[in-house]
Amino acid sequence: MLRLDRVSKSYGGRLVLDEVGFEVRPGRLTGFVGGNGAGKTTTMRIILGVLAADGGEVTLDGSALTAAERRTFGYMPEERGLYPKMRVLEQIVYLARLHGFAKDDATDRATVLLTKLGLGERLNDNIEALSLGNQQRAQIAAALVHDPRVLILDEPFSGLDPIAVDVVAGVLQEKARAGAAILFSSHQLDVVERLCDDLVIIAGGTIRAAGSRDELRARYSSSRFSLTAHDLDWLAAQAGVSAVSAEGDTVAFDADDETAQRVLREALARGPVAAFGPQHPTLAEIFTEVIR
Ligand code: ADP
């Protein structure tokens, strides 16, 4: 497990990371979410050792990270950096060889991965001849080709069309299922919501929430319920019920647990209830709440 403890960083006297701490667990995709300037790139650079923290530490399985371990990490930096004049396959094979794979093995790995990423037809094209979205897929291959146990990706989905997002997401999920610890930053909350197992939310250089997606959803859904039944016009007038909104036969409302149970009994007394339960907030709603 990769772990950050009380990591701090200032630029010219301005604190941009304030005792940042979270975990990136093996076998899971961790989404790192925050607005522009929140501190995501700075945190990732510190994990990779590209940037030194002013305080705190980054550990892997309980020991301080060494430079040799960091070199084994897969990293997709914010500033993309492939050689424009090199062919796609050649480039990824070259990177695999830098990680110590023999030529044939490196070629096999690069071919399989690029094909999975949808670049099977473009293997012999120069990087610069690819569309930006396809260059991004090649960048992802560059970070993944040596099957790293820790993978740090800065905005891997930005600039990808929805189909490419699904392709890349599928490849990342496969790597996570095979045991990699994957941290990826994103400002696209819908993508993160769909994809990640764990979530870390950062704003203004401090971690505002961290945990599994399901835990966070449960934590922030305590007062929102939804009820599906015919004719719920009476509901808004109930004591303790607020923020009622209806969509078809389903009504969402805020209430404490006791009130919600009373509402349910009332609804059952009036007729059949098709569904009732806590309503899980979207990641966008959680995000808005925790960064306030
Ligand atoms: P994010 O990746 O979440 O958009 P960053 O980590 O890039 O955020 O930036 C965090 C804060 O640090 C921002 O306010 C940014 O302006 C500042 N910052 C980042 N890099 C530098 C730098 N090299 N010098 C001064 N300030 C910086």
Side-chain angles (χ1 to χ4, degrees):
M1 181 172 71
L2 181 76
R3 194 182 146 98
L4 282 78
D5 272 305
R6 303 172 65 131
V7 169
S8 294
K9 178 77 188 170
S10 296
Y11 283 116
R14 193 166 68 87
L15 191 61
V16 299
L17 293 184
D18 185 7
E19 306 215 328
V20 161
F22 61 86
E23 293 169 350
V24 186
R25 296 189 273 171
R28 299 177 70 88
L29 270 166
T30 300
F32 193 22
V33 180
N36 288 333
K40 303 181 296 296
T41 296
T42 304
T43 304
M44 292 181 145
R45 288 184 175 151
I46 287 171
I47 294 173
L48 264 299
V50 178
L51 197 65
D54 298 334
E57 63 172 354
V58 186
T59 56
L60 186 63
D61 299 333
S63 312
L65 263 186
T66 64
E69 279 167 338
R70 283 183 157 117
R71 277 196 295 274
T72 69
F73 288 6
Y75 179 36
M76 178 171 169
E78 187 185 38
E79 60 290 346
R80 314 303 195 209
L82 294 175
Y83 300 105
K85 304 246 178 264
M86 212 165 171
R87 291 169 201 264
V88 176
L89 179 63
E90 195 184 356
Q91 171 91 100
I92 305 304
V93 170
Y94 170 77
L95 293 170
R97 296 207 66 190
L98 286 184
H99 282 285
F101 291 97
K103 190 157 184 242
D104 289 354
D105 198 4
T107 306
D108 288 349
R109 286 175 164 270
T111 307
V112 168
L113 182 57
L114 288 165
T115 305
K116 269 189 196 157
L117 285 164
L119 294 176
E121 311 279 298
R122 317 304 302 269
L123 298 180
N124 292 314
D125 290 2
N126 283 351
I127 297 279
E128 66 186 357
L130 300 183
S131 67
L132 287 178
N134 280 342
Q135 290 190 20
Q136 178 114 333
R137 296 185 202 216
Q139 284 286 347
I140 288 161
L144 289 176
V145 70
H146 59 297
D147 271 335
R149 62 185 280 227
V150 178
L151 193 49
I152 310 291
L153 305 165
D154 201 343
E155 295 281 353
F157 298 105
S158 72
L160 293 182
D161 65 42
I163 292 168
V165 166
D166 283 347
V167 169
V168 170
V171 171
L172 295 183
Q173 273 166 333
E174 189 185 314
K175 296 290 176 195
R177 298 302 163 248
I182 304 180
L183 179 72
F184 71 97
S185 66
S186 182
H187 60 272
Q188 291 158 273
L189 298 181
D190 54 330
V191 174
V192 179
E193 174 148 48
R194 210 153 38 84
L195 188 58
C196 70
D197 304 299
D198 294 329
L199 261 173
V200 177
I201 300 177
I202 186 169
T206 60
I207 302 300
R208 302 298 175 93
S212 80
R213 181 185 58 182
D214 297 343
E215 263 163 40
L216 289 178
R217 276 203 183 135
R219 195 184 308 164
Y220 291 94
S221 70
S222 52
S223 63
R224 174 69 51 95
F225 296 87
S226 93
L227 176 63
T228 308
H230 287 305
D231 184 22
L232 290 169
D233 292 345
W234 50 273
L235 205 156
Q238 295 287 304
V241 169
S242 61
V244 178
S245 65
E247 213 179 301
D249 275 354
T250 299
V251 170
F253 62 97
D254 286 346
D256 61 27
D257 285 349
E258 208 179 310
T259 305
Q261 293 298 325
R262 181 164 49 74
V263 164
L264 175 61
R265 284 194 298 275
E266 176 73 29
L268 284 165
R270 288 169 181 258
V273 168
F276 169 81
Q279 195 181 61
H280 293 311
T282 63
L283 178 53
E285 287 168 331
I286 296 174
F287 185 73
T288 311
E289 186 166 339
V290 302
I291 67 165
R292 246 205 304 255

